[in-house]
């Protein structure tokens, strides 16, 4: 019985909309890929009206989606998955090339310029009991970024 009451309390606490952060996403885009390329990056601006953390992302058309960071380690740029990115109240956090970003992995087919990829970002509001989850749906517009010789980096 105690477990049932605890589960009911937890469910009601997590679903209280008065405590939920409002997380907004703007300027979302992803890089187009070449045939055979299985990964791409997604970039955006994220803002929360309460202290929160970006803890994940998902897409119905991308098999694996991870939150990553690129940063210098001595003279070497390293990329790694991160468990969370802080979203300070009222501040815009940039997910951009060379920094924090969303990795779109195990792509079944190339993504072309102009395609739209549905993506849901998941944030956790620390003030909530047992981390309150907030999801925001966004459409990534696929953009082509090329080098001087026309190659896609």
């Amino acid at each position: 019985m105690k477990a049932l009451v605890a589960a009911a309390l937890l469910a009601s606490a997590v679903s209280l909309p008065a405590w939920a952060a409002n997380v907004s996403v703007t300027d979302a885009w992803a890089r187009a890929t070449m045939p055979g390329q299985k990964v791409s990056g997604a970039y955006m601006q994220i803002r929360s009206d309460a202290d929160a953390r970006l803890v994940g992302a998902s897409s119905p058309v991308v098999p694996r989606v991870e939150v990553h960071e690129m940063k210098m380690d001595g003279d070497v740029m390293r990329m790694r998955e991160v468990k969370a990115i802080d979203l300070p109240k009222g501040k815009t956090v940039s997910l951009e090339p060379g920094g924090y970003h969303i990795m779109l992995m195990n792509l079944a087919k190339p993504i072309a310029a102009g395609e739209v990829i549905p993506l849901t970002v998941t944030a956790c509001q620390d003030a909530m009991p047992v981390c309150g989850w907030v999801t925001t749906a966004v459409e990534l517009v696929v953009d082509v970024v090329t080098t001087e010789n026309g190659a896609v980096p």
Side-chain angles (χ1 to χ4, degrees):
M1 182 66 177
K2 286 183 184 178
L4 183 58
V5 171
L9 286 174
L10 178 61
S12 65
V14 171
S15 65
L16 287 175
W19 288 14
N22 180 27
V23 176
S24 61
V25 176
T26 56
D27 303 324
W29 64 281
R31 286 202 170 150
T33 60
M34 301 296 290
Q37 186 178 345
K38 299 290 185 190
V39 299
S40 183
Y43 312 97
M44 62 203 70
Q45 304 291 313
I46 302 178
R47 187 178 180 92
S48 177
D49 65 1
D51 287 335
R53 292 175 290 137
L54 174 66
V55 294
S58 62
S59 173
V61 298
V62 179
R64 186 170 176 184
V65 180
E66 296 179 354
V67 180
H68 278 219
E69 174 186 35
M70 290 185 74
K71 71 178 189 179
M72 292 300 293
D73 181 9
D75 292 338
V76 178
M77 178 68 84
R78 300 208 186 266
M79 181 173 65
R80 66 181 176 91
E81 182 179 12
V82 294
K83 297 298 178 201
I85 298 172
D86 288 335
L87 302 175
K89 177 182 178 178
K91 299 207 187 244
T92 300
V93 175
S94 295
L95 275 61
E96 56 193 15
Y100 289 120
H101 58 281
I102 304 290
M103 286 297 298
L104 308 174
M105 305 168 77
N106 301 340
L107 298 171
K109 65 180 186 68
I111 52 177
E115 280 188 57
V116 175
I117 300 170
L119 184 77
T120 299
V121 295
T122 303
C124 174
Q125 186 178 349
D126 294 326
M128 296 285 289
V130 192
C131 188
W133 300 102
V134 178
T135 59
T136 301
V138 62
E139 291 185 339
L140 297 171
V141 176
V142 179
D143 196 9
V144 175
V145 178
T146 60
T147 61
E148 286 181 20
N149 64 4
V152 176

